[in-house]
Amino acid sequence: MNTYRYTFVAACPANGEQIVYSLELQHQGKVFVEHIKTACALHREGYQEDIAADLHKRFGGQLTLRAIHHGVEIETVLQDAQRAQQREGQPAQAKKEEE
């Protein structure tokens, strides 16, 4: 398991305030740091949940995005469905068949 951490800034769409984001990405495979930096730089403005969803779509793995918005600390955690199911104690295949 590889853990990548990166800090970047994006504007709040509600009032333009610069928000400092702390990204942590855990991934089984290799993720190029240049790709992480470029993907984060594409988000000059946005809501945290949307930024996290886009980064997770690009990279997969387990992604945690933290920031403080107007005094409120927000932590968004997204993970691959298979990993989430394994944490619940059921193999991904068995869980899929139940649906």
Side-chain angles (χ1 to χ4, degrees):
M1 177 75 68
N2 297 307
T3 301
Y4 304 88
R5 293 183 183 91
Y6 186 62
T7 301
F8 65 99
V9 176
C12 173
N15 66 3
E17 180 181 342
Q18 295 295 299
I19 306 295
V20 177
Y21 290 96
S22 176
L23 169 69
E24 180 176 292
L25 174 63
Q26 293 183 331
H27 203 282
Q28 291 290 345
K30 177 177 15 177
V31 179
F32 292 108
V33 297
E34 296 82 4
H35 294 177
I36 293 171
K37 291 178 68 174
T38 299
C40 292
L42 294 173
H43 294 282
R44 296 180 184 189
E45 178 180 281
Y47 293 105
Q48 177 167 330
E49 297 83 356
D50 298 333
I51 294 171
D54 177 69
L55 294 173
H56 186 256
K57 181 179 176 183
R58 291 173 186 274
F59 298 115
Q62 178 172 319
L63 182 141
T64 303
L65 190 62
R66 296 178 184 92
I68 297 177
H69 301 264
H70 313 293
V72 177
E73 184 175 349
I74 301 174
E75 178 176 280
T76 304
V77 179
L78 301 171
Q79 56 190 357
D80 292 335
Q82 182 177 7
R83 182 171 175 168
Q85 290 166 350
Q86 288 171 345
R87 284 189 171 191
E88 291 173 7
Q90 287 186 302
Q93 187 64 30
K95 190 83 167 181
K96 201 175 210 179
E97 290 172 1
E98 290 176 7
E99 296 174 350

